[in-house]
Amino acid sequence: LATTFGLCGPLDLSPSEAVLGDTCFNSGFTAGRIVSALVAGFMKPRSMIIGSLAMCTLASILLAIVGGMSKYGFYIGLVLLGCFVSWEFGATFSFVASKVNITGQQTSLFFVGCGFFSLATPPLAGYLFTSSLGAMS
């Protein structure tokens, strides 16, 4: 979605500049996984989830305000979003595991549920971007 927004959105980036947006998101995601493994040693899963959601919200606001006007704001917002989105799965799994014994069938249901919502999110995001509320309207 970042590449599409970079190419077709208000920034009208070149293909190489637009692909850099995906690289920024994936780099932030990878760095976030490493950092979250370290942070998990001294933060509770609930705190990690709340902090991650708050930072994802702030990164999204940054992208909404600056991402359509500045390619550097676009790139920075994507790095931040990737970084904090990456905390969600592990922290949520740890949180659920602290409340419920996740073994066998429960683990499968957890992973299938996560996979289903991962499939549903991109079309929903694309719809929101192109709706009257989105950045590309």
Side-chain angles (χ1 to χ4, degrees):
L1 191 59
T3 301
T4 303
F5 182 77
L7 285 170
C8 304
L11 292 176
D12 196 29
L13 300 175
S14 70
S16 61
E17 290 175 322
V19 169
L20 186 57
D22 274 340
T23 302
C24 288
F25 180 85
N26 291 323
S27 297
F29 193 90
T30 302
R33 280 288 171 109
I34 294 166
V35 169
S36 71
L38 299 172
V39 170
F42 60 88
M43 272 182 89
K44 292 181 179 180
R46 181 180 187 276
S47 299
M48 285 184 70
I49 293 168
I50 292 169
S52 173
L53 290 173
M55 292 306 295
C56 285
T57 301
L58 291 174
S60 297
I61 291 169
L62 173 72
L63 279 169
I65 294 171
V66 182
M69 297 182 292
S70 163
K71 71 178 178 182
Y72 298 110
F74 177 63
Y75 296 148
I76 291 167
L78 288 171
V79 168
L80 291 173
L81 190 60
C83 178
F84 290 103
V85 161
S86 72
W87 291 28
E88 290 299 317
F89 182 79
T92 303
F93 193 84
S94 294
F95 178 77
V96 173
S98 72
K99 305 290 183 195
V100 179
N101 185 16
I102 301 181
T103 56
Q105 187 177 10
Q106 291 92 353
T107 304
S108 299
L109 290 173
F110 191 87
F111 279 90
V112 168
C114 289
F116 174 75
F117 286 107
S118 293
L119 289 172
T121 306
L124 178 62
Y127 172 76
L128 290 174
F129 262 75
T130 57
S131 74
S132 62
L133 301 173
M136 294 179 66
S137 61

